Amino acid sequence: QLQLVESGGGLVQPGGSLRLSCTASKFSLDYYAIGWFRQAPGKEREGVSCISSSGGTTNYADSVKGRFTVSRDNAENTVYLQMNGLKPEDTAVYYCAAVMAIVIGTEACGLWGGDFSSWGQGTQVTVSS
């Protein structure tokens, strides 16, 4: 079973940057679309960004467009979420999730959590002065 591990979270001041990483130890992520989700205390889980298995399609929530960038490095078996211009409202636990390309297609990805079958444990991002 695919096991995902997120890293890169932490405490950052408003306006700062963080880069989150999502990797898998035993399986290649080449065959998976990857999504990033977040959940703040007392709020529902929100789809933040996703990238297709080919890397040719990316999607972003309106709340992060222009500030966050998703990318993948297949040689490193890692998907990244570069977060710039962080705001206090970005504070949440961030999760990466995977769905096989044979299920949704090599060029597809979406921001609905129900599409994704494997999830990481999450990494905390706190934006505060």
Side-chain angles (χ1 to χ4, degrees):
Q1 184 173 348
L2 181 66
Q3 292 181 327
L4 301 172
V5 178
E6 304 94 338
S7 62
L11 174 64
V12 64
Q13 292 186 343
S17 298
L18 285 173
R19 188 178 75 162
L20 304 184
S21 299
C22 174
T23 191
S25 59
K26 297 182 179 181
F27 293 89
S28 171
L29 293 181
D30 292 10
Y31 308 108
Y32 294 85
I34 302 296
W36 285 98
F37 297 81
R38 66 187 182 187
Q39 188 164 22
K43 294 189 176 181
E44 293 188 353
R45 183 178 63 196
E46 173 189 17
V48 174
S49 181
C50 66
I51 186 166
S52 63
S53 65
S54 72
T57 300
T58 58
N59 286 308
Y60 298 92
D62 288 343
S63 58
V64 306
K65 279 181 182 176
R67 300 188 297 122
F68 291 10
T69 303
V70 63
S71 62
R72 64 191 306 152
D73 184 337
N74 289 345
E76 295 293 326
N77 203 37
T78 301
V79 173
Y80 299 101
L81 184 68
Q82 178 67 44
M83 306 187 296
N84 299 329
L86 283 162
K87 305 175 181 180
E89 52 263 43
D90 294 318
T91 296
V93 177
Y94 284 70
Y95 301 88
C96 65
V99 57
M100 294 190 74
I102 60 173
V103 174
I104 67 167
T106 59
E107 299 298 333
C109 75
L111 299 181
W112 182 55
D115 285 337
F116 294 83
S117 54
S118 298
W119 293 79
Q121 295 300 305
T123 186
Q124 176 70 46
V125 171
T126 303
V127 185
S128 175
S129 55

